[in-house]
Amino acid sequence: MADDDRIAMVRMRDVARALGVSVSTVSRALSQPHLVSDETLERVNAMAARMRFRPNLAARDLRTRTTRSLLVAVPSFSPLFLEIFRGAEQAAAAHGYGVLMAHTGSDADREHIFLDQVLSQRADGLVLVTTMDPARLAERRRNFPAMVIAMDNAAGIGVPAMQIDNAAGAAAAVAHLVGLGHRRIAHIGGPPEQSLARERARGFAEAVAAAGLEPAHCPRVAGDFSLASGEALMARLLTRYPRPTAVVAANDEIAVGALQAIKRDGLVIGRDVSVVGFDDLRIGLLHDPPLTTVGFDKVELGRLAIGALIAGLNGRGPVADAILPTALEIRATTGAPA
Amino acid sequence: MADDDRIAMVRMRDVARALGVSVSTVSRALSQPHLVSDETLERVNAMAARMRFRPNLAARDLRTRTTRSLLVAVPSFSPLFLEIFRGAEQAAAAHGYGVLMAHTGSDADREHIFLDQVLSQRADGLVLVTTMDPARLAERRRNFPAMVIAMDNAAGIGVPAMQIDNAAGAAAAVAHLVGLGHRRIAHIGGPPEQSLARERARGFAEAVAAAGLEPAHCPRVAGDFSLASGEALMARLLTRYPRPTAVVAANDEIAVGALQAIKRDGLVIGRDVSVVGFDDLRIGLLHDPPLTTVGFDKVELGRLAIGALIAGLNGRGPVADAILPTALEIRATTGAPA
DNA sequence: ATGAAAGCGCTAACAT
DNA sequence: ATGTTAGCGCTTTCAT
């Protein structure tokens, strides 16, 4: 019973009537205060508060063709992407936009869903965080809504992209190890379908070649960015002869898995085998010993993406892509080979 | 230049004109296909696809007073809350709803923002995940929109709440330790402002009393749910005389911090000092040795919350609160006292 | 500074 | 099975 004590929605006209003014006056007082007299402004504000008036945003959005809210779609809830979201949120708030997060599971269908949300005016724009080469999205549509790619390139789909220098990061890891005296360095990569994984593998390969290392001693294997894959692949690598003295992992998850495999074999981390991760997430810092890894400013990446998106929304021409630098964080899993 | 090659929005009337039918026919074909002839249906679908028509959801939402999308607001991006979100997402999808995630940072202002989103018709309902006692929200508003509380009680604000049995979980941890022979068990809690922390502390205290342990030997200290606080507080606990032989932590973060402090002191985990966590997150499983902890079905909690929300939306009366059970996951950080 | 009127793009009676 | 009409709650000209 009492099903009718649902919250009765109070509309602008209710506020207007209660005040004996027109709807336009209320509307103006609420969104363009400088257009009404001080007295009216005050009365409207007071009454709106008293009546607990909430504007119907569907109506406003329809009329203004804008929502002042943005979407950030992440592939998964990895801390990496969450950090990016955090930056996005900051930047959006600074510009008076709200942000909501959605996750795609790297599923193309789901990515299209969120693109459509923008096309359908549920949000003004989209930051698509992806590591899967967004060019494939073009197979199914020609025009893209207001959007920005983060973490990946946007080859050929004509939207701004904010990335990091994956190849340079991997190369820096190799250089560090070579400097320590390593000559047999392996790479445990991510799935080659992911452009992110390919770029990191490329950086590794190029650096190995540049250092003049024997390719046969620098094997490259591909995992799936999971800890389990890092562990399994490392275990296999350890049976090779000659055994690699160091490993560059394509992310921190893989690196920690590798570390566990090394420990399990009774080898000493940083002496028998050195490991470098990628992404600089907490999981590596928590490990004992803490992981040497390739870091970068994830929050800044999110900020940049939103900045570019909003600039685009404001018609300030096509924004330049950005490639953020990486920085090697040398901790305790790397050392001179025994 | 070419600023005008912005995506020209195609509206329903454009599709209707192209086909020589009325807008209503297009509308019906798209959302109530059984109301139009097969032939019309097919023509409309084809044309809509060809013209890349996307319905303007602001208009639809305005007209139908519904969005078919739900909001889940989490306090932080802790894996605990992300698991809950995952469950929410599943359940929502099963009912044809979309879900977006927002985060509140346990900030009351931000919580109100998302409540307002619902009142403003941006979403049909809200799952508010909180550990801060939602009753305080009532200070600032009388009526709540369609919402459900997750992880906390909803004392006195008249909305359904889906929680877990925090006190029982903590008590089970104590019982496990008592069974192992421990008589001096400490508790490192969370901030007492959080009802979640208070409940867990209460369960601890009651179980300690029920077991007839000497209260002076079972100190309770309060951290802030962070690893660092667990480490610092554990270090202090270890200087006490007589030293506690076991600790029940209010969450896994604290527990892992405690573990680090114990290790640093050169004590043996599970023999000199046993530790039980709470939440059963990956951080505990990753630890060496893996953490004994109080677990519960986080995904199910999210599912239940969405189920209750949607049931409420459909007018199926007030939904009963749920209290999910916890289950002790005995791993390797607990053992008989030395 | 304020009011009247039009209209955003859609859905849902109500006709036919 | 389809078309006509009204209207969701706002914002924004255009008058005054």
Side-chain angles (χ1 to χ4, degrees), chain B residues 100-272:
Chain B
L100 260 13
M101 183 161 82
H103 95 124
T104 62
S106 289
D107 176 342
D109 287 345
R110 286 181 57 85
E111 288 178 344
H112 283 284
I113 289 178
F114 300 116
L115 288 167
D116 283 343
Q117 290 282 312
V118 180
L119 255 10
S120 291
Q121 327 252 38
R122 264 281 173 61
D124 293 352
L126 171 72
V127 171
L128 182 62
V129 184
T130 176
T131 61
M132 292 290 284
D133 190 358
R136 87 209 123 81
L137 293 176
E139 293 164 14
R140 235 196 280 175
R141 63 206 311 153
R142 272 176 323 209
N143 297 320
F144 288 92
M147 72 183 269
V148 169
I149 302 288
M151 280 306 284
D152 213 328
N153 67 78
I157 65 172
V159 305
M162 305 292 139
Q163 337 172 41
I164 60 163
D165 199 335
N166 287 299
V174 171
H176 166 59
L177 292 168
V178 169
L180 250 18
H182 293 270
R183 310 289 299 167
R184 298 195 303 276
I185 309 175
H187 178 59
I188 306 182
E193 311 84 78
Q194 295 194 30
S195 29
L196 182 79
R198 289 197 305 273
E199 282 303 295
R200 291 179 181 182
R202 181 172 67 79
F204 172 86
E206 289 175 1
V208 158
L213 304 186
E214 166 62 41
H217 291 165
C218 297
R220 302 203 298 271
V221 297
D224 62 3
F225 279 144
S226 73
L227 190 147
S229 75
E231 187 169 3
L233 262 9
M234 186 72 233
R236 286 244 301 278
L237 248 19
L238 290 176
T239 65
R240 282 179 69 110
Y241 184 84
R243 195 172 71 197
T245 60
V247 174
V248 173
N251 75 349
D252 286 356
E253 285 277 325
I254 289 177
V256 171
L259 256 10
Q260 293 183 347
I262 295 166
K263 237 188 243 175
R264 196 156 23 76
D265 264 23
L267 297 170
V268 177
I269 291 163
R271 193 173 59 88
D272 296 322

Side-chain angles (χ1 to χ4, degrees), chain B residues 11-23 26 43 47 51:
Chain B
R11 297 141 304 167
M12 235 177 220
R13 50 181 301 190
D14 300 321
V15 179
R17 273 194 191 135
L19 246 28
V21 300
S22 76
V23 214
V26 177
R43 291 181 60 218
M47 184 58 81
M51 298 179 75

Side-chain angles (χ1 to χ4, degrees), chain A residues 252-270:
Chain A
D252 286 354
E253 285 276 327
I254 289 176
V256 171
L259 256 10
Q260 293 183 347
I262 295 166
K263 235 188 244 173
R264 197 156 22 75
D265 262 24
L267 298 171
V268 177
I269 290 164

Side-chain angles (χ1 to χ4, degrees), chain A residues 129-209:
Chain A
V129 183
T130 176
T131 61
M132 292 289 285
D133 191 359
R136 86 209 123 82
L137 293 176
E139 292 165 14
R140 236 197 280 176
R141 62 206 312 153
R142 274 175 323 208
N143 297 321
F144 288 92
M147 71 183 269
V148 169
I149 301 288
M151 280 305 284
D152 213 328
N153 68 78
I157 66 173
V159 305
M162 306 292 139
Q163 337 173 41
I164 60 164
D165 199 336
N166 288 299
V174 172
H176 166 59
L177 292 168
V178 169
L180 251 16
H182 293 270
R183 310 288 301 166
R184 298 194 304 275
I185 309 175
H187 178 59
I188 306 182
E193 311 84 78
Q194 296 194 28
S195 30
L196 182 79
R198 289 197 305 273
E199 282 302 294
R200 293 179 180 181
R202 181 173 67 79
F204 171 85
E206 289 176 0
V208 158

Side-chain angles (χ1 to χ4, degrees), chain B residues 260-293:
Chain B
Q260 293 183 347
I262 295 166
K263 237 188 243 175
R264 196 156 23 76
D265 264 23
L267 297 170
V268 177
I269 291 163
R271 193 173 59 88
D272 296 322
V273 188
S274 289
V275 175
V276 183
F278 208 124
D279 289 345
D280 191 16
L281 301 179
R282 202 174 71 132
I283 188 179
L285 202 52
L286 246 36
H287 190 270
D288 183 18
L291 177 70
T292 293
T293 189

Side-chain angles (χ1 to χ4, degrees), chain A residues 121-132:
Chain A
Q121 329 251 37
R122 266 279 175 63
D124 293 352
L126 171 72
V127 171
L128 182 63
V129 183
T130 176
T131 61
M132 292 289 285

